[in-house]
Each structure stands twice: as structure tokens, then as C-alpha cells.
Amino acid sequence: MYLLKKIIPLVLLISIVVEAQELPPIVKYNVKDYSGENQNWKIDQSYEDYIYIGNNNGLLEYNGADWKIYPSSNNSIIRSVKVINEKIFTGCYMDFGYWIKDNYGNLAYTSLVHKLPKALLNDESFWNIVQFEDYVLFQS
């Protein structure tokens, strides 16, 4: 009886530890699943837990169940993505700006290139986006 009293708590403790070590399921997606190209560049997550990915075909949006793809304004590769509050900032070849959801939940794009004091350089691409204090910096 003494041994039984010692073994039962030990078995319960081991089962709790084993349960805590369980890994979440891993799901693999291929390009047919998300209608993009096979090369992804940057990834970020929104406050709503949506995933945004810069892809050769545009901006991929994943809500945990469904994929949507939004082509860039000039149909080029989106190389940088940064989610800040409700805006999804992206950079691509010769353009950068942000996306905001409309009343239907679809993303609408606003380019910021026209706000530059100088024209873009030939073949300029925006590879990184950084938030610094109240600023959003686009690196080309």
C-alpha cells in the first residue's frame, strides 16, 4: 500500500510533464495552396494574428484558414513587409507604401513614392522596412 501511494503521484506527475511537451501540428503548404510563387521574402504578423508574406507574386495574407494574394501596384516582387498597427507596409521594385483593410476585409494599397522630394533611382528596390520611434524607414 505504501508503494502504491508513492507510485500514483509519480505517474500523474510524469503524465503532466509528457502532456506539456506536446508539439503543435505542423502544416506544409505548397505554391498551389496559396496561389503564389515559390519564393517568399519577408514575413510579419498583425495584431489580429494574420500572417503577411512578401512573395514573388505579391502580398500573401493568411488568416489561419484561407490564403489571399494581392499583386503589387506594378506587378513586381514584394521584398519587404512590416505590420505596424492596422497598416501593412510593403516595399518592391520602384515602389513602397502601405495596405489597409477596406469595409469588406480586402486590402487596399496606397503608394508613398509620390511623397519623396526626389525621384527614385533607376532599378531601385526596397528590401527592408524598420519602425523607429514614430518613423517608418524604407531601406533600398
Side-chain angles (χ1 to χ4, degrees):
M1 188 67 165
Y2 173 77
L3 187 59
L4 192 58
K5 287 182 181 179
K6 294 292 183 183
I7 291 177
I8 290 176
L10 183 62
V11 169
L12 289 174
L13 181 64
I14 290 172
S15 67
I16 290 171
V17 170
V18 170
E19 179 86 20
Q21 298 300 320
E22 185 177 324
L23 296 174
I26 296 173
V27 179
K28 290 183 179 182
Y29 295 101
N30 64 46
V31 294
K32 291 180 183 175
D33 295 325
Y34 57 80
S35 300
E37 289 290 326
N38 62 353
Q39 197 165 19
N40 296 310
W41 294 91
K42 295 281 183 157
I43 185 170
D44 206 358
Q45 186 172 0
S46 73
Y47 64 94
E48 322 171 277
D49 294 330
Y50 280 40
I51 302 293
Y52 294 96
I53 304 166
N55 180 270
N56 281 7
N57 253 10
L59 178 66
L60 291 171
E61 177 187 63
Y62 182 63
N63 66 7
D66 299 311
W67 292 93
K68 285 185 185 177
I69 188 156
Y70 298 91
S72 66
S73 61
N74 57 13
N75 292 314
S76 65
I77 297 168
I78 292 186
R79 298 195 187 271
S80 55
V81 176
K82 180 73 174 170
V83 179
I84 303 171
N85 300 323
E86 75 284 347
K87 293 181 180 175
I88 301 100
F89 292 90
T90 58
C92 60
Y93 174 78
M94 300 298 288
D95 196 14
F96 64 92
Y98 62 89
W99 305 77
I100 294 183
K101 288 191 177 187
D102 64 16
N103 293 336
Y104 302 102
N106 296 312
L107 294 176
Y109 181 71
T110 301
S111 176
L112 297 173
V113 170
H114 65 280
K115 293 186 178 238
L116 291 174
K118 294 182 180 179
L120 294 176
L121 300 174
N122 285 338
D123 294 330
E124 196 160 9
S125 288
F126 294 88
W127 292 84
N128 196 23
I129 303 167
V130 178
Q131 181 180 17
F132 178 73
E133 296 177 356
D134 292 336
Y135 298 97
V136 178
L137 307 172
F138 294 86
Q139 182 181 10
S140 68

